[in-house]
Amino acid sequence: MTQAQKTAKAKFKQAIAYRQKTGVSLKEAFAHIYGRKGGAVKKKAAPKKKAAKKVVKKKVAKKVTKKKYGLNLKLDKLYEAKKPGKRIAKKSGKTYYESRKNRSDKGKLLGIGSVLTKAQEIKRLSQLAKTPLEKRIVSILKYKLQDYDNLKSLIEDVLNSGLQSGIISDLVYYNDTLAFYKRYKKEIDILLKDIMNETGSNSPADLFGNKWDKEDFFIQDTNNRNLLAWFGFEEKTRELADKLGY
């Protein structure tokens, strides 16, 4: 046995003895005998996974455009100021009471301190006219307004004097009144029926008196149709005047 072998054998016995004494592993025992830096070889720990950072989205504040309050005189002039009293809100449908003068249900001041031009009056009236008969009346009044300072005066003359006075030249002659009644018969007949129901009348004669031909039961003759043409114009004008607040 060579000297190197003898030395290795001796070192082996020392390592076994050291292992039995300390309880370390054989590898650590040999490291101790040979003077190496011993100790257990620690496994390299797996690199910790970096937790993904939570990206918190910043809430971008919405730009709130402040409503500009104030009067739009051009639009205001198209509407009649409402009187204080019971109102129904357009959006919610709820009932509320307005105690202030010249307030709409939106809280805006309407039609204050301004005089409408004739064109503005007619435009305002046109916006209220919904049916064919109402639109025709607006067209006739628009032409007649040339002789008046304002629409209110014209309507007052029409309602106070009546069409029998000849104030509306379009409805003076029978040819014109009969054509007018024939064209707007449906609306005029409904209007007549409504007023008869409201007044409790049993016959048109209750409304027109001696002017009505009772023998013309089906309204086929000139006289009754002429009366109804004037009646339809006057009553629809009255309704429009009420909407305008006249």
Side-chain angles (χ1 to χ4, degrees), residues 83-110:
K83 297 178 181 179
K86 185 178 179 181
R87 307 277 180 82
I88 297 177
K90 290 183 178 179
K91 290 186 177 180
S92 65
K94 294 181 179 179
T95 302
Y96 70 99
Y97 292 86
E98 179 59 74
S99 60
R100 298 168 295 179
K101 292 183 179 180
N102 298 319
R103 292 277 177 171
S104 71
D105 64 341
K106 293 183 179 179
K108 293 181 181 178
L109 294 169
L110 301 177

Short mmCIF file of all heavy atoms in Angstrom, two decimals, residues 83-110:
data_model
loop_
_atom_site.label_atom_id
_atom_site.label_comp_id
_atom_site.label_asym_id
_atom_site.label_seq_id
_atom_site.Cartn_x
_atom_site.Cartn_y
_atom_site.Cartn_z
N LYS A 83 -100.16 82.35 -15.59
CA LYS A 83 -100.61 82.92 -14.34
C LYS A 83 -100.28 82.00 -13.18
O LYS A 83 -100.13 80.79 -13.37
CB LYS A 83 -102.12 83.17 -14.39
CG LYS A 83 -102.54 84.17 -15.45
CD LYS A 83 -104.05 84.33 -15.47
CE LYS A 83 -104.47 85.33 -16.54
NZ LYS A 83 -105.94 85.49 -16.60
N PRO A 84 -100.15 82.53 -11.96
CA PRO A 84 -99.90 81.67 -10.79
C PRO A 84 -101.04 80.67 -10.63
O PRO A 84 -102.19 80.96 -10.93
CB PRO A 84 -99.87 82.67 -9.62
CG PRO A 84 -99.51 83.97 -10.25
CD PRO A 84 -100.16 83.96 -11.61
N GLY A 85 -100.69 79.48 -10.15
CA GLY A 85 -101.73 78.47 -9.93
C GLY A 85 -101.21 77.06 -10.10
O GLY A 85 -100.00 76.81 -10.06
N LYS A 86 -102.10 76.14 -10.31
CA LYS A 86 -101.78 74.73 -10.41
C LYS A 86 -101.10 74.42 -11.73
O LYS A 86 -101.54 74.86 -12.79
CB LYS A 86 -103.07 73.92 -10.28
CG LYS A 86 -102.88 72.41 -10.24
CD LYS A 86 -104.24 71.74 -10.05
CE LYS A 86 -104.10 70.23 -10.02
NZ LYS A 86 -105.41 69.57 -9.85
N ARG A 87 -100.01 73.71 -11.67
CA ARG A 87 -99.26 73.34 -12.88
C ARG A 87 -98.95 71.84 -12.86
O ARG A 87 -98.96 71.20 -11.82
CB ARG A 87 -97.93 74.09 -12.96
CG ARG A 87 -98.04 75.60 -12.82
CD ARG A 87 -98.39 76.26 -14.13
NE ARG A 87 -98.48 77.70 -13.97
CZ ARG A 87 -97.45 78.53 -13.97
NH1 ARG A 87 -96.25 78.05 -14.10
NH2 ARG A 87 -97.63 79.83 -13.83
N ILE A 88 -98.63 71.30 -14.03
CA ILE A 88 -98.17 69.92 -14.16
C ILE A 88 -96.82 69.95 -14.85
O ILE A 88 -96.69 70.45 -15.96
CB ILE A 88 -99.17 69.07 -14.97
CG1 ILE A 88 -100.51 69.00 -14.24
CG2 ILE A 88 -98.62 67.66 -15.17
CD1 ILE A 88 -101.58 68.25 -14.99
N ALA A 89 -95.80 69.40 -14.17
CA ALA A 89 -94.45 69.40 -14.72
C ALA A 89 -94.40 68.51 -15.96
O ALA A 89 -94.96 67.41 -15.97
CB ALA A 89 -93.46 68.90 -13.67
N LYS A 90 -93.74 69.00 -17.02
CA LYS A 90 -93.70 68.27 -18.28
C LYS A 90 -92.92 66.96 -18.17
O LYS A 90 -93.32 65.94 -18.72
CB LYS A 90 -93.08 69.15 -19.37
CG LYS A 90 -93.99 70.30 -19.79
CD LYS A 90 -93.37 71.09 -20.93
CE LYS A 90 -94.29 72.21 -21.37
NZ LYS A 90 -93.68 73.00 -22.47
N LYS A 91 -91.79 66.97 -17.49
CA LYS A 91 -90.95 65.77 -17.42
C LYS A 91 -91.48 64.73 -16.44
O LYS A 91 -91.63 63.56 -16.78
CB LYS A 91 -89.51 66.16 -17.05
CG LYS A 91 -88.78 66.89 -18.16
CD LYS A 91 -87.31 67.10 -17.79
CE LYS A 91 -86.56 67.78 -18.93
NZ LYS A 91 -85.13 68.00 -18.59
N SER A 92 -91.76 65.14 -15.22
CA SER A 92 -92.16 64.19 -14.18
C SER A 92 -93.66 63.92 -14.17
O SER A 92 -94.12 62.88 -13.71
CB SER A 92 -91.73 64.71 -12.80
OG SER A 92 -92.43 65.90 -12.48
N GLY A 93 -94.44 64.87 -14.68
CA GLY A 93 -95.88 64.70 -14.66
C GLY A 93 -96.51 65.01 -13.31
O GLY A 93 -97.71 64.83 -13.10
N LYS A 94 -95.69 65.50 -12.37
CA LYS A 94 -96.19 65.79 -11.03
C LYS A 94 -96.89 67.15 -10.99
O LYS A 94 -96.54 68.05 -11.74
CB LYS A 94 -95.04 65.76 -10.01
CG LYS A 94 -94.42 64.38 -9.84
CD LYS A 94 -93.30 64.42 -8.80
CE LYS A 94 -92.69 63.05 -8.60
NZ LYS A 94 -91.58 63.07 -7.61
N THR A 95 -97.84 67.25 -10.11
CA THR A 95 -98.59 68.50 -9.96
C THR A 95 -97.91 69.39 -8.91
O THR A 95 -97.46 68.90 -7.87
CB THR A 95 -100.03 68.21 -9.50
OG1 THR A 95 -100.65 67.36 -10.47
CG2 THR A 95 -100.82 69.50 -9.37
N TYR A 96 -97.79 70.65 -9.21
CA TYR A 96 -97.22 71.59 -8.25
C TYR A 96 -97.93 72.94 -8.40
O TYR A 96 -98.72 73.14 -9.31
CB TYR A 96 -95.71 71.77 -8.46
CG TYR A 96 -95.33 72.50 -9.72
CD1 TYR A 96 -95.00 73.86 -9.69
CD2 TYR A 96 -95.30 71.85 -10.95
CE1 TYR A 96 -94.66 74.54 -10.83
CE2 TYR A 96 -94.96 72.53 -12.09
CZ TYR A 96 -94.64 73.87 -12.03
OH TYR A 96 -94.30 74.54 -13.17
N TYR A 97 -97.68 73.83 -7.47
CA TYR A 97 -98.34 75.13 -7.47
C TYR A 97 -97.30 76.24 -7.62
O TYR A 97 -96.31 76.28 -6.88
CB TYR A 97 -99.14 75.32 -6.19
CG TYR A 97 -100.33 74.40 -6.12
CD1 TYR A 97 -100.19 73.12 -5.63
CD2 TYR A 97 -101.59 74.80 -6.57
CE1 TYR A 97 -101.27 72.24 -5.58
CE2 TYR A 97 -102.67 73.94 -6.53
CZ TYR A 97 -102.51 72.66 -6.03
OH TYR A 97 -103.58 71.80 -5.99
N GLU A 98 -97.51 77.09 -8.59
CA GLU A 98 -96.61 78.20 -8.86
C GLU A 98 -97.26 79.48 -8.35
O GLU A 98 -98.36 79.85 -8.77
CB GLU A 98 -96.34 78.31 -10.36
CG GLU A 98 -95.43 79.46 -10.73
CD GLU A 98 -94.09 79.36 -10.03
OE1 GLU A 98 -93.27 78.51 -10.42
OE2 GLU A 98 -93.89 80.13 -9.07
N SER A 99 -96.58 80.14 -7.42
CA SER A 99 -97.14 81.36 -6.83
C SER A 99 -96.57 82.62 -7.47
O SER A 99 -97.11 83.70 -7.30
CB SER A 99 -96.85 81.39 -5.33
OG SER A 99 -95.45 81.35 -5.09
N ARG A 100 -95.47 82.46 -8.24
CA ARG A 100 -94.85 83.63 -8.84
C ARG A 100 -95.48 83.96 -10.20
O ARG A 100 -95.88 83.07 -10.94
CB ARG A 100 -93.35 83.37 -9.03
CG ARG A 100 -92.62 83.14 -7.73
CD ARG A 100 -91.22 82.61 -7.99
NE ARG A 100 -91.27 81.29 -8.60
CZ ARG A 100 -90.19 80.60 -8.94
NH1 ARG A 100 -88.99 81.13 -8.75
NH2 ARG A 100 -90.30 79.41 -9.48
N LYS A 101 -95.53 85.21 -10.52
CA LYS A 101 -96.08 85.63 -11.79
C LYS A 101 -95.05 85.43 -12.90
O LYS A 101 -93.85 85.40 -12.67
CB LYS A 101 -96.47 87.11 -11.74
CG LYS A 101 -97.64 87.39 -10.81
CD LYS A 101 -98.00 88.86 -10.88
CE LYS A 101 -99.19 89.17 -9.98
NZ LYS A 101 -99.55 90.60 -10.02
N ASN A 102 -95.56 85.30 -14.10
CA ASN A 102 -94.71 85.21 -15.28
C ASN A 102 -93.69 84.08 -15.21
O ASN A 102 -92.53 84.24 -15.56
CB ASN A 102 -93.97 86.54 -15.52
CG ASN A 102 -94.92 87.67 -15.78
OD1 ASN A 102 -95.89 87.49 -16.49
ND2 ASN A 102 -94.66 88.80 -15.17
N ARG A 103 -94.14 82.92 -14.74
CA ARG A 103 -93.26 81.76 -14.67
C ARG A 103 -93.86 80.60 -15.45
O ARG A 103 -95.04 80.33 -15.35
CB ARG A 103 -93.06 81.32 -13.21
CG ARG A 103 -92.28 82.32 -12.39
CD ARG A 103 -90.80 82.14 -12.58
NE ARG A 103 -90.05 83.14 -11.85
CZ ARG A 103 -88.73 83.12 -11.70
NH1 ARG A 103 -88.03 82.16 -12.22
NH2 ARG A 103 -88.11 84.06 -11.03
N SER A 104 -93.01 79.92 -16.22
CA SER A 104 -93.47 78.71 -16.89
C SER A 104 -93.20 77.55 -15.95
O SER A 104 -92.66 77.73 -14.87
CB SER A 104 -92.68 78.50 -18.19
OG SER A 104 -91.35 78.14 -17.88
N ASP A 105 -93.54 76.32 -16.36
CA ASP A 105 -93.27 75.19 -15.47
C ASP A 105 -91.79 74.85 -15.43
O ASP A 105 -91.36 73.99 -14.68
CB ASP A 105 -94.08 73.96 -15.89
CG ASP A 105 -93.69 73.44 -17.25
OD1 ASP A 105 -93.07 74.21 -18.00
OD2 ASP A 105 -94.00 72.29 -17.56
N LYS A 106 -90.98 75.52 -16.25
CA LYS A 106 -89.53 75.33 -16.20
C LYS A 106 -88.85 76.40 -15.35
O LYS A 106 -87.65 76.42 -15.21
CB LYS A 106 -88.94 75.36 -17.61
CG LYS A 106 -89.36 74.18 -18.47
CD LYS A 106 -88.69 74.24 -19.82
CE LYS A 106 -89.08 73.05 -20.67
NZ LYS A 106 -88.44 73.11 -22.01
N GLY A 107 -89.65 77.31 -14.83
CA GLY A 107 -89.09 78.34 -13.96
C GLY A 107 -88.50 79.52 -14.69
O GLY A 107 -87.84 80.36 -14.09
N LYS A 108 -88.72 79.60 -16.00
CA LYS A 108 -88.16 80.72 -16.74
C LYS A 108 -89.16 81.87 -16.80
O LYS A 108 -90.36 81.68 -16.85
CB LYS A 108 -87.82 80.29 -18.16
CG LYS A 108 -86.69 79.29 -18.24
CD LYS A 108 -86.40 78.94 -19.68
CE LYS A 108 -85.29 77.92 -19.79
NZ LYS A 108 -85.03 77.54 -21.20
N LEU A 109 -88.62 83.05 -16.83
CA LEU A 109 -89.46 84.23 -17.01
C LEU A 109 -89.89 84.30 -18.47
O LEU A 109 -89.08 84.09 -19.36
CB LEU A 109 -88.67 85.49 -16.64
CG LEU A 109 -88.29 85.62 -15.17
CD1 LEU A 109 -87.29 86.74 -15.01
CD2 LEU A 109 -89.50 85.89 -14.32
N LEU A 110 -91.15 84.56 -18.69
CA LEU A 110 -91.64 84.56 -20.06
C LEU A 110 -92.29 85.88 -20.46
O LEU A 110 -93.10 86.43 -19.72
CB LEU A 110 -92.67 83.44 -20.24
CG LEU A 110 -92.17 82.03 -19.94
CD1 LEU A 110 -93.31 81.04 -20.09
CD2 LEU A 110 -91.04 81.66 -20.86
#
